[in-house]
Amino acid sequence: MIRAELIAPFEYQLVDEHQPLAARVFADATLIEAIMRDHSLQQLANVRALPGVYGDVYGMPDMHEGYGFPVGGVAATELPDGAISPGGIGFDINCGVRLMTSNLDRASFAPLRERIVHDISRTIPSGYGRGGRLALDDDALCRVLASGCRELVTHLGFGIAEDLEVIESGGALDGADPTAVSVRALARGRDQLGTLGGGNHFVEVGAVDTIFDADAAHVLGLRADQITLIVHTGSRGLGHQVCSDYLALMDTAQARYGITLPDRQLACAPLSSPEGQRYFAAMRAAANFAFANRQLISHRVRAVFERHAHSPLRLVYDVGHNTAKLERHAGRELCVHRKGATRAFGPANPELPARYRRVGQPVFIPGSMGTASYVLLGTDAAEARSLASVCHGAGRVLSRGAAKRQVTGHALRKELEARGITVRCPSNAELAEEAPEAYKDIDRVVDVVVGAGLARKVARLVPLGVVKG
């Protein structure tokens, strides 16, 4: 039986019987207890069986059970023949978070809140299966898959050139190949650009509640009481289909490479293999679709703020989770899987945008609906401690079904509105799925991240209006 033993403040090592495993979880006593209620510790231990796995595998404080890999799991495989596993990236490829700031403060936003949140809900389609107002033909869709935000900004006019400077990887992963994406995946994504989708995706208007580091906040353009906007969504049905397609392919292909695994959901292939290379190219294409999706949503929300407040929105940063990327760590070329986890590069990393090289990469950890979200900065220490990775959110403690059994959407809506949070959601059932009770304590999660030295706090944001997927 897998168990976790405390080896340092906020750090646990997995142990099987009495044998220590090369697997670590960042947590405190309360969070590790919550993590142990599902199968995520066993899933993290299983990840060590991937061919070519390098060093330790890591679990973030928001870790919970997922498909194959736990959500909040980080693992690297060594090139050239280490494996790539779709389960280590997830179905919502490059789901991510972007933060924007306005020139409004709470007082000037207050009389506009209802109008702005309502207009966002009308402008940004949300809910499972919903399409948008932009339907792309095959050629245009393939250009988005190949070039991500560059296509939207440069050729379609959705955004400004400055945006590309502060999006992870410039808003486009090189090496994407639209021809590696199936006809079915293309069909699912054709009309979904600029849409939220369902589940935990959202657009949130908030305010800066607390500044922890004034110098860093100034670099990021944050100030007390400032109105902010967070967009959290990913690659929609296109990414889901890419994952499904390649899980099936790798399930049949891995026998040819002599791969045996403790869990079929870890299906993989060597990254150097034809199957591995084709999936990697398709995954990058889906990631580019996700970057473009957040870009189009941001472009349209900017128009909402201009209509009602004549206020521009400035992009602070866009960071993705649910990706695999080629990175160099400890002098080795690795394929780093981050599922429900994000990069957290420190100031020493050369990939940082020029404006953030003095302070480190912005990291966003949003809470659940009705709770705070945090802006942090990656640290150089995270390079050795977690492959420069942190968590992407609070992490579920209740399944969506359990949340609906414990919470009614109608009552939750009334509770949030009584607290001054305007909520728009397609249905009360979908609202109940994302109730605050369904998630871990965001303040505790962030305290673990900071206590473990993976990132440092810059600011705390509180919600004023939420449009839910």
Side-chain angles (χ1 to χ4, degrees):
M1 179 179 175
I2 302 296
R3 68 181 192 277
E5 291 186 352
L6 185 68
I7 58 171
F10 307 110
E11 186 173 358
Y12 289 78
Q13 183 169 37
L14 299 196
V15 175
D16 186 5
E17 297 298 331
H18 298 289
Q19 181 67 35
L21 304 178
R24 298 173 185 245
V25 178
F26 298 100
D28 64 10
T30 298
L31 291 173
I32 201 71
E33 182 181 345
I35 290 168
M36 290 170 63
R37 292 185 193 130
D38 63 23
H39 297 100
S40 53
L41 290 184
Q42 183 64 60
Q43 287 188 321
L44 188 65
N46 290 345
V47 169
R48 297 170 52 258
L50 289 176
V53 71
Y54 170 78
D56 288 344
V57 297
Y58 300 97
M60 297 294 123
D62 65 336
M63 189 170 75
H64 55 282
E65 190 172 345
Y67 185 93
F69 273 57
V71 179
V74 177
T77 56
E78 192 165 5
L79 303 185
D81 296 324
I84 187 167
S85 172
I89 290 116
F91 286 91
D92 193 2
I93 295 167
N94 190 23
C95 187
V97 179
R98 65 167 47 192
L99 173 67
M100 306 179 80
T101 57
S102 77
N103 59 14
L104 301 174
D105 59 20
R106 286 204 217 200
S108 56
F109 177 73
L112 304 173
R113 185 185 63 184
E114 292 288 340
R115 277 185 283 160
I116 286 178
V117 175
H118 180 66
D119 199 355
I120 292 173
S121 72
R122 289 172 55 86
T123 301
I124 309 301
S126 61
Y128 292 103
R130 285 288 302 279
R133 294 180 292 153
L134 179 67
L136 301 175
D137 61 29
D138 285 348
D139 288 344
L141 179 56
C142 286
R143 288 195 298 272
V144 169
L145 296 180
S147 301
C149 289
R150 292 198 294 261
E151 174 67 17
L152 262 69
V153 171
T154 305
H155 297 110
L156 299 178
F158 298 139
I160 56 178
E162 182 184 343
D163 292 343
L164 301 179
E165 299 172 10
V166 286
I167 303 173
E168 182 180 336
S169 301
L173 301 188
D174 293 333
D177 183 359
T179 68
V181 177
S182 70
V183 172
R184 173 61 179 151
L186 293 173
R188 292 185 66 179
R190 185 166 288 114
D191 69 342
Q192 290 190 331
L193 205 63
T195 67
L196 272 180
N200 64 343
H201 297 153
F202 61 83
V203 174
E204 179 176 290
V205 184
V208 178
D209 178 68
T210 308
I211 297 287
F212 301 102
D213 185 327
D215 178 62
H218 178 73
V219 173
L220 271 59
L222 297 171
R223 54 181 171 78
D225 274 341
Q226 182 180 29
I227 296 301
T228 60
L229 186 112
I230 295 175
V231 177
H232 175 210
T233 191
S235 51
R236 303 286 278 110
L238 185 145
H240 194 286
Q241 191 63 47
V242 166
C243 184
S244 297
D245 290 341
Y246 282 92
L247 280 169
L249 175 66
M250 291 187 178
D251 189 49
T252 59
Q254 60 190 18
R256 291 200 297 274
Y257 301 105
I259 297 172
T260 57
L261 296 165
D263 184 351
R264 187 176 181 180
Q265 294 181 354
L266 291 173
C268 65
L271 182 56
S272 59
S273 70
E275 295 87 355
Q277 285 293 295
R278 190 162 177 81
Y279 168 66
F280 200 27
M283 186 220 72
R284 287 163 158 173
N288 289 348
F289 185 88
F291 279 133
N293 189 29
R294 294 194 289 276
Q295 181 68 24
L296 182 53
I297 289 172
S298 301
H299 175 75
R300 289 178 170 163
V301 173
R302 276 172 164 157
V304 171
F305 270 73
E306 288 287 354
R307 278 197 294 273
H308 296 282
H310 306 292
S311 173
L313 290 176
R314 171 183 170 273
L315 180 58
V316 177
Y317 198 66
D318 180 308
V319 61
H321 43 270
N322 293 4
T323 60
K325 288 189 147 185
L326 301 184
E327 297 172 7
R328 192 168 185 84
H329 295 273
R332 298 173 183 267
E333 292 294 331
L334 305 175
C335 178
V336 183
H337 298 64
R338 295 185 178 93
K339 180 176 181 178
T342 74
R343 286 179 165 188
F345 288 158
N349 194 289
E351 288 195 41
L352 289 182
R355 71 179 66 172
Y356 298 139
R357 284 178 190 156
R358 183 168 68 85
V359 295
Q361 178 205 303
V363 173
F364 311 126
I365 305 181
S368 61
M369 191 169 42
T371 65
S373 298
Y374 282 84
V375 180
L376 304 97
L377 290 168
T379 66
D380 290 329
E383 167 76 21
R385 297 213 69 191
S386 66
L387 293 169
S389 307
V390 299
C391 56
H392 82 304
R396 296 194 76 94
V397 292
L398 294 177
S399 69
R400 289 185 167 86
K404 286 192 287 187
R405 289 190 293 272
Q406 293 189 24
V407 180
T408 64
H410 175 70
L412 176 59
R413 192 185 299 268
K414 290 183 66 175
E415 175 192 337
L416 293 172
E417 290 180 350
R419 292 165 51 193
I421 303 170
T422 299
V423 180
R424 294 290 183 272
C425 185
S427 75
N428 281 332
E430 291 177 36
L431 190 66
E433 290 179 353
E434 301 303 316
E437 299 93 316
Y439 287 86
K440 299 180 177 74
D441 180 347
I442 185 63
D443 299 320
R444 182 179 292 275
V445 167
V446 169
D447 284 346
V448 168
V449 167
V450 174
L454 308 184
R456 59 191 180 98
K457 291 183 191 177
V458 177
R460 182 178 187 266
L461 316 179
V462 292
L464 302 175
V466 182
V467 177
K468 290 294 296 181

PDB file of all heavy atoms in Angstrom, residues 70 84 136 195 228 258 274 277 306 329 424:
ATOM      1  N   PRO A  70      -2.366  11.519 -12.055  1.00  0.00           N
ATOM      2  CA  PRO A  70      -3.222  12.365 -11.226  1.00  0.00           C
ATOM      3  C   PRO A  70      -3.217  13.786 -11.769  1.00  0.00           C
ATOM      4  O   PRO A  70      -2.231  14.232 -12.368  1.00  0.00           O
ATOM      5  CB  PRO A  70      -2.547  12.300  -9.852  1.00  0.00           C
ATOM      6  CG  PRO A  70      -1.110  12.056 -10.145  1.00  0.00           C
ATOM      7  CD  PRO A  70      -1.092  11.174 -11.375  1.00  0.00           C
ATOM      8  N   ILE A  84       6.246   9.532 -24.206  1.00  0.00           N
ATOM      9  CA  ILE A  84       5.265  10.596 -24.092  1.00  0.00           C
ATOM     10  C   ILE A  84       3.913   9.921 -23.910  1.00  0.00           C
ATOM     11  O   ILE A  84       3.588   8.948 -24.606  1.00  0.00           O
ATOM     12  CB  ILE A  84       5.267  11.557 -25.302  1.00  0.00           C
ATOM     13  CG1 ILE A  84       4.331  12.748 -25.042  1.00  0.00           C
ATOM     14  CG2 ILE A  84       4.932  10.844 -26.605  1.00  0.00           C
ATOM     15  CD1 ILE A  84       4.511  13.877 -26.028  1.00  0.00           C
ATOM     16  N   LEU A 136     -14.736  28.567 -38.578  1.00  0.00           N
ATOM     17  CA  LEU A 136     -13.581  28.621 -39.462  1.00  0.00           C
ATOM     18  C   LEU A 136     -13.670  27.543 -40.539  1.00  0.00           C
ATOM     19  O   LEU A 136     -14.095  26.418 -40.256  1.00  0.00           O
ATOM     20  CB  LEU A 136     -12.303  28.413 -38.658  1.00  0.00           C
ATOM     21  CG  LEU A 136     -12.030  29.422 -37.526  1.00  0.00           C
ATOM     22  CD1 LEU A 136     -10.795  28.998 -36.753  1.00  0.00           C
ATOM     23  CD2 LEU A 136     -11.854  30.821 -38.080  1.00  0.00           C
ATOM     24  N   THR A 195     -14.944  30.289 -27.121  1.00  0.00           N
ATOM     25  CA  THR A 195     -15.977  29.764 -26.214  1.00  0.00           C
ATOM     26  C   THR A 195     -15.334  29.197 -24.952  1.00  0.00           C
ATOM     27  O   THR A 195     -14.220  28.683 -24.977  1.00  0.00           O
ATOM     28  CB  THR A 195     -16.809  28.668 -26.899  1.00  0.00           C
ATOM     29  OG1 THR A 195     -15.997  27.513 -27.146  1.00  0.00           O
ATOM     30  CG2 THR A 195     -17.387  29.158 -28.227  1.00  0.00           C
ATOM     31  N   THR A 228      -9.487  43.487 -12.217  1.00  0.00           N
ATOM     32  CA  THR A 228      -8.747  42.511 -13.017  1.00  0.00           C
ATOM     33  C   THR A 228      -9.712  41.580 -13.744  1.00  0.00           C
ATOM     34  O   THR A 228     -10.905  41.534 -13.441  1.00  0.00           O
ATOM     35  CB  THR A 228      -7.828  41.660 -12.121  1.00  0.00           C
ATOM     36  OG1 THR A 228      -8.642  40.957 -11.155  1.00  0.00           O
ATOM     37  CG2 THR A 228      -6.818  42.535 -11.397  1.00  0.00           C
ATOM     38  N   GLY A 258       7.705  -3.048 -26.609  1.00  0.00           N
ATOM     39  CA  GLY A 258       7.986  -3.819 -25.410  1.00  0.00           C
ATOM     40  C   GLY A 258       7.641  -3.101 -24.128  1.00  0.00           C
ATOM     41  O   GLY A 258       8.255  -3.343 -23.082  1.00  0.00           O
ATOM     42  N   PRO A 274       7.389   6.987 -34.431  1.00  0.00           N
ATOM     43  CA  PRO A 274       6.404   7.667 -35.301  1.00  0.00           C
ATOM     44  C   PRO A 274       5.139   8.035 -34.547  1.00  0.00           C
ATOM     45  O   PRO A 274       4.592   9.128 -34.750  1.00  0.00           O
ATOM     46  CB  PRO A 274       6.142   6.634 -36.395  1.00  0.00           C
ATOM     47  CG  PRO A 274       7.377   5.797 -36.444  1.00  0.00           C
ATOM     48  CD  PRO A 274       7.861   5.714 -35.030  1.00  0.00           C
ATOM     49  N   GLN A 277       5.964  10.976 -32.145  1.00  0.00           N
ATOM     50  CA  GLN A 277       6.145  12.229 -32.862  1.00  0.00           C
ATOM     51  C   GLN A 277       4.825  12.771 -33.422  1.00  0.00           C
ATOM     52  O   GLN A 277       4.580  13.975 -33.404  1.00  0.00           O
ATOM     53  CB  GLN A 277       7.151  12.033 -33.991  1.00  0.00           C
ATOM     54  CG  GLN A 277       8.587  11.942 -33.522  1.00  0.00           C
ATOM     55  CD  GLN A 277       9.088  13.256 -32.933  1.00  0.00           C
ATOM     56  OE1 GLN A 277       9.189  14.260 -33.633  1.00  0.00           O
ATOM     57  NE2 GLN A 277       9.385  13.244 -31.637  1.00  0.00           N
ATOM     58  N   GLU A 306     -14.653  48.283 -23.134  1.00  0.00           N
ATOM     59  CA  GLU A 306     -14.656  49.536 -23.874  1.00  0.00           C
ATOM     60  C   GLU A 306     -16.074  50.093 -23.995  1.00  0.00           C
ATOM     61  O   GLU A 306     -16.298  51.296 -23.848  1.00  0.00           O
ATOM     62  CB  GLU A 306     -14.047  49.332 -25.268  1.00  0.00           C
ATOM     63  CG  GLU A 306     -12.548  49.115 -25.273  1.00  0.00           C
ATOM     64  CD  GLU A 306     -11.764  50.397 -24.979  1.00  0.00           C
ATOM     65  OE1 GLU A 306     -12.371  51.476 -24.882  1.00  0.00           O
ATOM     66  OE2 GLU A 306     -10.535  50.290 -24.831  1.00  0.00           O
ATOM     67  N   HIS A 329      16.811  20.522 -18.088  1.00  0.00           N
ATOM     68  CA  HIS A 329      16.927  20.569 -16.631  1.00  0.00           C
ATOM     69  C   HIS A 329      18.145  19.751 -16.223  1.00  0.00           C
ATOM     70  O   HIS A 329      18.335  18.633 -16.722  1.00  0.00           O
ATOM     71  CB  HIS A 329      15.679  19.991 -15.958  1.00  0.00           C
ATOM     72  CG  HIS A 329      14.430  20.783 -16.197  1.00  0.00           C
ATOM     73  ND1 HIS A 329      14.058  21.850 -15.415  1.00  0.00           N
ATOM     74  CD2 HIS A 329      13.468  20.662 -17.155  1.00  0.00           C
ATOM     75  CE1 HIS A 329      12.909  22.354 -15.859  1.00  0.00           C
ATOM     76  NE2 HIS A 329      12.535  21.647 -16.913  1.00  0.00           N
ATOM     77  N   ARG A 424     -23.131  34.384 -13.617  1.00  0.00           N
ATOM     78  CA  ARG A 424     -23.877  33.963 -14.795  1.00  0.00           C
ATOM     79  C   ARG A 424     -23.402  32.560 -15.166  1.00  0.00           C
ATOM     80  O   ARG A 424     -22.192  32.321 -15.286  1.00  0.00           O
ATOM     81  CB  ARG A 424     -23.653  34.907 -15.975  1.00  0.00           C
ATOM     82  CG  ARG A 424     -24.203  36.316 -15.757  1.00  0.00           C
ATOM     83  CD  ARG A 424     -25.727  36.337 -15.752  1.00  0.00           C
ATOM     84  NE  ARG A 424     -26.255  37.686 -15.623  1.00  0.00           N
ATOM     85  CZ  ARG A 424     -26.489  38.307 -14.483  1.00  0.00           C
ATOM     86  NH1 ARG A 424     -26.232  37.681 -13.337  1.00  0.00           N
ATOM     87  NH2 ARG A 424     -26.973  39.526 -14.465  1.00  0.00           N
TER      88      ARG A 424
END
